[in-house]
Amino acid sequence: MNLEMVMQELEALGKERTKKIYQSNGAHEPLFGVATGEMKPIFRKIKRNQPLAEQLYATGNYDAMYFAGVIAEPKAMSEADFDRWMDSAYFYMLSDYVVAVTLAETDIAQEVSDKWIASDIELKMSAGWSCYCWLLGSRPDSEFSEGKIASMLELVKNTIHDAPDRTKFAMNNFVYTVGLSYQQLHDKAVETAKEVGPVEVNRGTAKSKFINASDNIQKATDKGRLGFKRKYVRC
């Protein structure tokens, strides 16, 4: 399948209701409103195809950009490629669920994520923290430095309340993911979450929302999910 054929199939799968949901989360035109599960039949026809993924991502169409992440070949991408994708990721569903997810399947994931976290740019920081969540939730604990993850928990504790909103979400999820999936630092994650307490975020509405990693870690503990590792990062 070529670019034109994929775009035609995506457009045919678009639904106005789904489009409005995506727009309420930050997506803007062009987009069709394709539910992610509806993309699976197209993926089965194409499998992995990095050249086509690049063409789709470059369209600026949200659904095409998301599908680009589905068919991408992460290990064929360089740090510069990920930076380029990141520069075009204009809201969190692209930065955290397309770029960060794709990056998480590479050997350079931690190196690139560290740079994004240190960037002071909201969506780059969010993607960096999110990538660590995908990594910790899928890879063996032995692939991570305990000292490094511990220092990252300290960074969250000291900076999360002053971070941009999307970064707050990703940092909060990082603490939760360490508590759930990185067993050596479960206790430290619990302690960090308690010290941080509820984190206020505002999703563009008059009413603020509070997120709390401590509550989520406790719920996961009660359900016996400690040590959880997913088999696949991407669908």
Side-chain angles (χ1 to χ4, degrees):
M1 295 181 72
N2 60 27
L3 175 63
E4 184 178 355
M5 294 167 67
V6 175
M7 293 299 287
Q8 288 175 350
E9 292 214 17
L10 289 172
E11 185 173 11
L13 292 169
K15 289 183 172 59
E16 193 63 29
R17 183 174 178 274
T18 305
K19 182 176 179 177
K20 288 178 179 177
I21 292 171
Y22 291 159
Q23 288 175 319
S24 71
N25 280 281
H28 59 58
E29 295 284 3
L31 77 161
F32 303 131
V34 184
T36 55
E38 296 292 319
M39 296 179 178
K40 288 183 179 180
I42 312 176
F43 168 70
R44 285 194 285 267
K45 295 178 188 176
I46 299 172
K47 304 298 183 184
R48 307 296 182 199
N49 186 323
Q50 187 59 30
L52 181 56
E54 291 288 358
Q55 290 180 309
L56 287 162
Y57 200 84
T59 64
N61 177 294
Y62 168 67
D63 302 286
M65 295 172 82
Y66 188 97
F67 188 62
V70 174
I71 67 169
E73 297 179 271
K75 293 185 178 180
M77 297 177 68
S78 66
E79 180 176 345
D81 292 327
F82 282 106
D83 283 336
R84 177 167 45 80
W85 277 35
M86 189 64 237
D87 288 341
S88 297
Y90 63 85
F91 77 125
Y92 79 96
M93 288 173 68
L94 289 169
S95 62
D96 296 15
Y97 295 99
V98 177
V99 184
V101 168
T102 308
L103 176 62
E105 291 195 5
T106 71
D107 296 331
I108 59 173
Q110 291 191 53
E111 175 188 344
V112 175
S113 294
D114 290 343
K115 292 178 182 178
W116 288 354
I117 288 170
S119 71
D120 288 332
I121 298 171
E122 181 174 12
L123 290 181
K124 274 193 173 185
M125 295 164 71
S126 178
W129 288 107
S130 293
C131 186
Y132 267 98
C133 294
W134 296 112
L135 291 168
L136 289 162
S138 63
R139 297 194 184 188
D141 289 353
S142 58
E143 292 194 19
F144 305 93
S145 161
E146 183 175 337
K148 179 179 181 180
I149 302 300
S151 69
M152 292 175 73
L153 287 172
E154 285 294 311
L155 180 61
V156 171
K157 183 178 72 175
N158 295 329
T159 64
I160 188 170
H161 289 290
D162 296 319
D165 276 356
R166 281 317 319 176
T167 309
K168 285 180 180 178
F169 276 104
M171 294 170 91
N172 184 78
N173 195 38
F174 173 81
V175 177
Y176 164 74
T177 304
V178 175
L180 174 67
S181 299
Y182 191 72
Q183 296 191 65
Q184 297 100 304
L185 291 176
H186 168 77
D187 291 342
K188 183 171 178 61
V190 169
E191 176 188 338
T192 300
K194 288 179 178 177
E195 290 186 66
V196 166
V199 178
E200 183 177 8
V201 292
N202 190 322
R203 307 178 94 177
T205 62
K207 187 176 181 181
S208 295
K209 175 181 178 180
F210 288 88
I211 52 178
N212 193 326
S214 185
D215 290 347
N216 291 333
I217 294 173
Q218 187 59 53
K219 289 175 183 176
T221 302
D222 293 343
K223 292 179 180 178
R225 298 186 71 229
L226 297 188
F228 168 78
K229 298 284 185 180
R230 65 179 74 245
K231 289 184 178 180
Y232 305 102
V233 178
R234 288 187 294 173
C235 299

